[in-house]
Amino acid sequence: MNKNLLVVGAGTYGVVASEIAADMGCFEKIDFVDDERKITPNGIGVVGTTQDINKLADQYSNIIVAIGNPEVRLSLLTRIKEESSYHIAFLASPKAYVSPSAQIMSGCIIEPMAVVHNGCVLNTGCIISAGAVVNHASVCCDGVHVDCNATVEGYCLVPAGTKICSGEVYKRKDTVKTEDI
């Protein structure tokens, strides 16, 4: 098993993911696939499209999906999990605080200066942007995006696919429906 990472998405989120991966220091090679871009915003060439993911599996053991749209992100993560041998990584910037008691599932990206407090759970494919805070004992369901400087109050359940916009505070709701999870 090699220490190479394939980033799905060569836009801004992909560049952020690759920079976090480089800062983590555990990947030897980091490349991109994208269905529309041939080059990243910072000038790095793309090695293929999402149709090439399975063909590239012998060159990359690890993969992360760095696409803003939660439906697309989760759909690709499901496809990769079901159809390939990749290890779906999670990326956490060394400049973020992630509590040792937090549970981080595959496909998550935690950006610099983010805080994921004690007892939190980030389910599959969550993005916690720079400066965001997920306070103690909160659960972010699949595909949640807590944008820059947004806050999830303690003891919250954030429904799947929710985007908490920059600067917003997500407060606890007393009613949770099955489809929220």
Side-chain angles (χ1 to χ4, degrees):
M1 186 157 129
N2 62 48
K3 294 181 180 180
N4 299 335
L5 175 69
L6 188 62
V7 178
V8 181
T12 304
Y13 287 116
V15 172
V16 169
S18 71
E19 290 175 354
I20 292 168
D23 284 349
M24 289 172 66
C26 58
F27 301 104
E28 294 174 356
K29 179 176 162 180
I30 302 167
D31 285 313
F32 300 86
V33 294
D34 195 290
D35 289 342
E36 297 173 13
R37 296 177 177 267
K38 301 290 182 219
I39 193 166
T40 66
N42 62 340
I44 298 170
V46 173
V47 299
T49 69
T50 57
Q51 298 304 313
D52 299 318
I53 289 173
N54 287 342
K55 291 182 223 168
L56 293 166
D58 61 334
Q59 297 174 52
Y60 305 88
S61 295
N62 302 284
I63 196 164
I64 190 79
V65 178
I67 294 175
N69 182 312
E71 291 173 6
V72 173
R73 185 168 65 250
L74 291 172
S75 174
L76 282 165
L77 285 167
T78 299
R79 183 180 126 205
I80 291 163
K81 190 175 188 176
E82 291 173 354
E83 298 176 6
S84 73
S85 60
Y86 284 98
H87 169 259
I88 299 173
F90 76 84
L91 304 178
S93 170
K95 296 174 186 125
Y97 173 73
V98 179
S99 170
S101 66
Q103 297 177 49
I104 314 299
M105 305 304 165
S106 63
C108 290
I109 300 171
I110 303 170
E111 296 181 11
M113 310 314 285
V115 174
V116 180
H117 259 292
N118 65 305
C120 288
V121 177
L122 301 182
N123 282 315
T124 303
C126 291
I127 297 174
I128 311 301
S129 291
V133 175
V134 180
N135 214 348
H136 54 274
S138 289
V139 175
C140 293
C141 295
D142 293 351
V144 165
H145 182 179
V146 183
D147 211 347
C148 296
N149 296 315
T151 301
V152 174
E153 285 189 347
Y155 303 101
C156 285
L157 174 67
V158 184
T162 299
K163 180 171 182 176
I164 302 166
C165 294
S166 294
E168 288 185 349
V169 176
Y170 186 89
K171 298 177 182 282
R172 183 175 178 188
K173 297 184 177 28
D174 289 333
T175 21
V176 177
K177 300 178 200 104
T178 306
E179 61 267 16
D180 291 340
I181 300 175

Short mmCIF file of all heavy atoms in Angstrom, two decimals, residues 4 8 36-37 43-44 52 64 80 88 105 107 111 129 145 149 156 162-163:
data_model
loop_
_atom_site.label_atom_id
_atom_site.label_comp_id
_atom_site.label_asym_id
_atom_site.label_seq_id
_atom_site.Cartn_x
_atom_site.Cartn_y
_atom_site.Cartn_z
N ASN A 4 0.16 7.52 -1.33
CA ASN A 4 -0.27 8.54 -2.28
C ASN A 4 -1.74 8.86 -2.07
O ASN A 4 -2.53 8.00 -1.72
CB ASN A 4 -0.02 8.09 -3.71
CG ASN A 4 1.46 7.84 -3.96
OD1 ASN A 4 2.32 8.40 -3.30
ND2 ASN A 4 1.76 6.98 -4.92
N VAL A 8 -10.32 14.16 -5.29
CA VAL A 8 -11.40 14.27 -6.27
C VAL A 8 -11.96 15.69 -6.15
O VAL A 8 -12.54 16.05 -5.14
CB VAL A 8 -12.50 13.23 -6.02
CG1 VAL A 8 -13.61 13.36 -7.07
CG2 VAL A 8 -11.91 11.82 -6.02
N GLU A 36 -14.27 18.63 -14.95
CA GLU A 36 -14.33 19.87 -15.73
C GLU A 36 -12.99 20.57 -15.86
O GLU A 36 -12.68 21.13 -16.90
CB GLU A 36 -15.35 20.83 -15.10
CG GLU A 36 -16.76 20.27 -15.14
CD GLU A 36 -17.76 21.14 -14.39
OE1 GLU A 36 -17.43 22.29 -14.04
OE2 GLU A 36 -18.88 20.64 -14.16
N ARG A 37 -12.20 20.56 -14.82
CA ARG A 37 -10.92 21.28 -14.81
C ARG A 37 -9.78 20.41 -15.30
O ARG A 37 -9.73 19.23 -15.00
CB ARG A 37 -10.59 21.78 -13.41
CG ARG A 37 -11.55 22.80 -12.87
CD ARG A 37 -11.14 23.15 -11.43
NE ARG A 37 -11.98 24.17 -10.88
CZ ARG A 37 -11.71 25.46 -10.94
NH1 ARG A 37 -10.61 25.88 -11.51
NH2 ARG A 37 -12.54 26.33 -10.40
N GLY A 43 -2.48 26.14 -10.42
CA GLY A 43 -1.63 25.73 -11.52
C GLY A 43 -1.14 24.29 -11.54
O GLY A 43 -0.26 23.95 -12.32
N ILE A 44 -1.73 23.41 -10.76
CA ILE A 44 -1.31 22.00 -10.76
C ILE A 44 -2.18 21.23 -11.75
O ILE A 44 -3.40 21.36 -11.75
CB ILE A 44 -1.44 21.39 -9.35
CG1 ILE A 44 -0.51 22.15 -8.38
CG2 ILE A 44 -1.11 19.90 -9.36
CD1 ILE A 44 -0.72 21.80 -6.93
N ASP A 52 -11.87 7.91 -14.23
CA ASP A 52 -10.56 7.27 -14.14
C ASP A 52 -10.20 6.79 -12.74
O ASP A 52 -9.13 6.22 -12.53
CB ASP A 52 -9.47 8.25 -14.63
CG ASP A 52 -9.66 8.67 -16.06
OD1 ASP A 52 -10.00 7.81 -16.90
OD2 ASP A 52 -9.49 9.88 -16.34
N ILE A 64 -9.68 11.32 -1.24
CA ILE A 64 -10.56 12.25 -0.53
C ILE A 64 -11.40 12.96 -1.57
O ILE A 64 -10.91 13.25 -2.67
CB ILE A 64 -9.75 13.26 0.34
CG1 ILE A 64 -10.66 14.07 1.26
CG2 ILE A 64 -8.89 14.18 -0.51
CD1 ILE A 64 -11.10 13.37 2.48
N ILE A 80 -17.15 5.24 -4.50
CA ILE A 80 -15.77 4.83 -4.24
C ILE A 80 -15.73 3.68 -3.24
O ILE A 80 -15.02 2.69 -3.43
CB ILE A 80 -14.93 6.03 -3.75
CG1 ILE A 80 -14.74 7.03 -4.90
CG2 ILE A 80 -13.59 5.59 -3.18
CD1 ILE A 80 -14.29 8.41 -4.46
N ILE A 88 -10.56 5.58 2.06
CA ILE A 88 -11.10 6.94 2.06
C ILE A 88 -10.55 7.63 3.30
O ILE A 88 -10.88 7.28 4.43
CB ILE A 88 -12.64 6.94 2.04
CG1 ILE A 88 -13.15 6.24 0.78
CG2 ILE A 88 -13.16 8.38 2.11
CD1 ILE A 88 -14.65 6.03 0.73
N MET A 105 -15.21 10.47 10.92
CA MET A 105 -15.42 9.40 9.96
C MET A 105 -14.70 9.70 8.64
O MET A 105 -14.18 10.80 8.43
CB MET A 105 -16.92 9.19 9.71
CG MET A 105 -17.73 8.93 10.95
SD MET A 105 -17.11 7.53 11.89
CE MET A 105 -17.94 7.76 13.44
N GLY A 107 -13.66 10.60 4.85
CA GLY A 107 -14.06 11.62 3.91
C GLY A 107 -14.21 13.01 4.48
O GLY A 107 -14.59 13.94 3.77
N GLU A 111 -10.28 22.04 8.34
CA GLU A 111 -9.36 23.06 7.88
C GLU A 111 -8.60 23.71 9.05
O GLU A 111 -8.98 23.55 10.21
CB GLU A 111 -10.12 24.12 7.08
CG GLU A 111 -10.73 23.57 5.81
CD GLU A 111 -11.48 24.62 5.00
OE1 GLU A 111 -11.37 25.83 5.29
OE2 GLU A 111 -12.18 24.21 4.06
N SER A 129 -14.74 24.16 8.03
CA SER A 129 -13.87 25.17 7.42
C SER A 129 -13.07 25.96 8.45
O SER A 129 -13.30 25.85 9.66
CB SER A 129 -14.72 26.13 6.58
OG SER A 129 -15.23 25.48 5.44
N HIS A 145 -21.53 20.80 6.17
CA HIS A 145 -20.45 21.77 5.96
C HIS A 145 -20.65 22.93 6.93
O HIS A 145 -21.65 23.63 6.87
CB HIS A 145 -20.48 22.29 4.52
CG HIS A 145 -19.36 23.24 4.22
ND1 HIS A 145 -19.20 23.80 2.99
CD2 HIS A 145 -18.35 23.73 4.97
CE1 HIS A 145 -18.15 24.61 3.00
NE2 HIS A 145 -17.62 24.58 4.20
N ASN A 149 -15.75 30.39 10.27
CA ASN A 149 -16.19 31.14 11.44
C ASN A 149 -17.64 30.90 11.85
O ASN A 149 -18.23 31.71 12.55
CB ASN A 149 -15.93 32.65 11.26
CG ASN A 149 -14.44 32.91 11.16
OD1 ASN A 149 -13.66 32.39 11.93
ND2 ASN A 149 -14.05 33.71 10.19
N CYS A 156 -25.76 19.61 19.77
CA CYS A 156 -26.62 19.74 18.58
C CYS A 156 -26.51 18.51 17.70
O CYS A 156 -25.48 17.85 17.64
CB CYS A 156 -26.20 20.95 17.75
SG CYS A 156 -26.70 22.51 18.44
N THR A 162 -26.59 19.60 5.59
CA THR A 162 -26.77 20.99 6.01
C THR A 162 -25.50 21.78 5.77
O THR A 162 -24.40 21.30 6.03
CB THR A 162 -27.12 21.06 7.52
OG1 THR A 162 -28.34 20.36 7.75
CG2 THR A 162 -27.26 22.49 8.01
N LYS A 163 -25.67 23.02 5.29
CA LYS A 163 -24.55 23.96 5.23
C LYS A 163 -24.85 25.09 6.19
O LYS A 163 -25.88 25.75 6.10
CB LYS A 163 -24.33 24.53 3.83
CG LYS A 163 -23.15 25.50 3.81
CD LYS A 163 -22.74 25.94 2.44
CE LYS A 163 -21.52 26.85 2.56
NZ LYS A 163 -21.00 27.23 1.27
#
